[in-house]
Amino acid sequence: MPTASTLPPPEGGAGGTGPERPMRILVVDDLELNRDLLVRRIARLGHATGTASNGREALEQLRAQDWDLVLLDITMPEMDGYAALQQIRADPRLAQLPVVMVSAIDETDSVVRCLELGADDYVSKPFNPVVLQARIESSLAKKRLQDHRSQLLAALSRELRIGQRIQLGFLPAQLPQLAGWSLGASCVPARQVGGDFYDAYQLPTGALAMVVADVCDKGVGAALYMALFRTLLRAVASHVVPSETLQATLVRSVAFTNDYIASVHGHENMFATLFFALLEPGSGQLHYLNAGHEAPFLLQLADGEMVRLGTTGPAVGLMAGMRCAVRSLSLQAGARLFLYTDGATEARGATGPFGEEALARALVRPAASAQALVDGVRAQLAAHVGGFEPHDDVTLFGLVRGLQGASAAASRAS
């Protein structure tokens, strides 16, 4: 009779599925007569078989090769069917493998115990050929469905990994390096891909553009719109309009993006909240608009005052023609500007959401650079969330003005 060592591998490899290939069934019984009977009946159904004489041998073969079904006797020496079934269900690799218990013990208590331990079905000896075939084919149909689902999930996972790499390509490979200024950022999606993004780049005029945005929803749809929002904002802002002020550049960039999304994709009801700022590195002047986004924190070192840069207009993409106002301020020496998405403050842990107060406290802690500031906040968020599942995408962005850089700029100005 065939044994596990002589079985050919399934067509298409261990992961092959479908009725076009023989399914692999392991027959476990201490009596050779019973094993031979089951093997011959299974062969008539067109499936391949292997055999084991007790639970220990069965576990060795199950862990050595891939199988589609186990016909497991209960009463056996060394390790009985109950113990073998418990170990099968306790093994993550074997936990989903269909198991049909086969026994001469035709008692309700035995059937209940097998089902409680995780058996998929139960067949009594002596075998009724029709019932045996029905039990086998039913269990194999379940296995085919499991394999098909696993293949679909594996394919989806591959596609999402590709999408994740593409989305990461929309984030700056390296943040701009400006004398007297330090930048830091982090973007962690709740799923493989998400709707948050940050951007930082220099315009042809020398101004530093900074964006943090949160597209509604999560997952693949949000990721696609994230790419669209980011591309439109950067392309329009980078287009030079002679004699245009930085404030006007902000308004023009966001207005074009808003009208395009609302007019062309309005039926999808997709929108984004965003904070968009243009910085004049030499003077420290910051021009910004806040389109329905979380209010960034600004800590001015000179007076130790913590202020919030609140909203100046509605979210982008809701309705064509809607506009945001622009505000301006000066970043003093040592100033810290911290942008974030609501996934940070709403991150849930054992004590509830992280909250704005905890975020504000994290910003006043010593940090040698903007990236160190961001990393510190991210570490506190991770400690707060612990083993909880991520609630939302989390994006953090920091800007710090150095003391020496600010002093040098002031000297040049005088």
Side-chain angles (χ1 to χ4, degrees):
M1 73 181 64
T3 63
S5 60
T6 61
L7 284 174
E11 294 179 11
T17 61
E20 71 279 359
R21 72 168 176 88
M23 302 295 275
R24 293 160 54 85
I25 302 175
L26 182 64
V27 176
V28 187
D29 197 303
D30 60 324
L31 298 180
E32 184 177 357
L33 179 64
N34 289 336
R35 294 197 301 269
D36 184 59
L37 174 62
L38 285 170
V39 166
R40 284 188 283 109
R41 292 196 180 279
I42 293 170
R44 293 193 190 106
L45 299 177
H47 303 301
T49 58
T51 61
S53 60
N54 57 60
R56 179 186 55 77
E57 290 181 9
L59 288 170
E60 290 176 355
Q61 295 195 45
L62 291 174
R63 289 165 178 159
Q65 300 186 46
D66 291 305
W67 299 87
D68 299 303
L69 173 64
V70 181
L71 299 182
L72 182 61
D73 188 27
I74 293 179
T75 306
M76 296 181 294
E78 294 193 47
M79 180 184 291
D80 65 15
Y82 296 130
L85 178 58
Q86 284 181 304
Q87 292 204 32
I88 289 172
R89 291 296 178 246
D91 188 329
R93 183 173 170 272
L94 304 175
Q96 300 302 315
L97 180 66
V99 177
V100 174
M101 304 303 292
V102 181
S103 178
I105 305 175
D106 190 12
E107 297 179 357
T108 301
D109 290 346
S110 176
V111 175
V112 170
R113 183 180 178 186
C114 290
L115 295 178
E116 287 179 342
L117 291 174
D120 294 271
D121 215 330
Y122 190 102
V123 177
S124 299
K125 302 176 185 178
F127 310 115
N128 180 308
V130 176
V131 173
L132 178 64
Q133 179 178 350
R135 296 289 195 270
I136 290 175
E137 294 299 347
S138 175
S139 296
L140 290 178
K142 177 182 176 181
K143 181 59 165 57
R144 291 188 183 100
L145 182 61
Q146 289 177 350
D147 289 346
H148 182 59
R149 183 167 57 243
S150 296
Q151 285 187 331
L152 290 177
L153 289 174
L156 177 60
S157 180
R158 286 193 298 271
E159 293 298 319
L160 287 174
R161 285 196 297 271
I162 294 172
Q164 186 179 50
R165 289 198 300 271
I166 293 174
Q167 186 177 30
L168 288 174
F170 282 96
L171 301 178
Q174 184 175 358
L175 293 172
Q177 303 292 315
L178 300 176
W181 297 90
S182 174
L183 286 78
S186 170
C187 183
V188 181
R191 303 174 186 172
Q192 288 93 333
V193 292
D196 279 14
F197 73 91
Y198 69 85
D199 205 358
Y201 51 94
Q202 279 193 278
L203 299 181
T205 60
L208 174 67
M210 298 172 290
V211 183
V212 167
D214 184 359
V215 178
C216 65
D217 206 357
K218 294 179 283 292
V220 176
L224 292 172
Y225 274 92
M226 163 267 179
L228 180 58
F229 274 97
R230 177 265 186 193
T231 301
L232 289 174
L233 287 170
R234 179 181 272 237
V236 178
S238 298
H239 176 68
V240 177
V241 175
S243 303
E244 183 179 63
T245 65
L246 293 180
Q247 295 94 323
T249 299
L250 282 172
V251 172
R252 176 173 58 86
S253 303
V254 175
F256 180 89
T257 302
N258 174 80
D259 293 350
Y260 179 86
I261 297 293
S263 300
V264 179
H265 301 285
H267 59 284
E268 296 290 349
N269 296 315
M270 296 298 290
F271 63 90
T273 65
L274 62 87
F275 183 91
F276 191 4
L278 296 179
L279 171 70
E280 299 179 52
S283 65
Q285 278 294 113
L286 183 78
H287 312 285
Y288 72 90
L289 59 78
N290 184 337
H293 197 70
E294 303 298 308
F297 290 87
L298 174 60
L299 176 63
Q300 298 278 25
L301 186 62
D303 52 20
E305 181 183 6
M306 180 85 73
V307 298
R308 306 292 298 279
L309 307 185
T311 58
T312 65
V316 178
L318 288 173
M319 185 181 299
M322 301 180 76
R323 300 292 181 258
C324 290
V326 175
R327 294 174 184 166
S328 301
L329 54 83
S330 179
L331 298 183
Q332 304 168 3
R336 291 182 173 188
L337 176 64
F338 195 82
L339 319 178
Y340 64 98
T341 56
D342 59 6
T345 52
E346 295 176 2
R348 300 194 67 84
T351 58
F354 188 69
E356 292 185 347
E357 291 185 5
L359 187 58
R361 288 194 299 270
L363 299 182
V364 300
R365 296 187 178 185
S369 65
Q371 190 60 56
L373 176 65
V374 168
D375 291 342
V377 174
R378 182 174 174 179
Q380 290 183 59
L381 277 168
H384 173 80
V385 172
F388 281 66
E389 287 293 320
H391 169 73
D392 198 357
D393 307 332
V394 176
T395 296
L396 310 172
F397 186 95
L399 173 71
V400 175
R401 186 173 194 183
L403 297 173
Q404 294 180 349
S407 299
S411 298
R412 289 195 300 270
S414 62

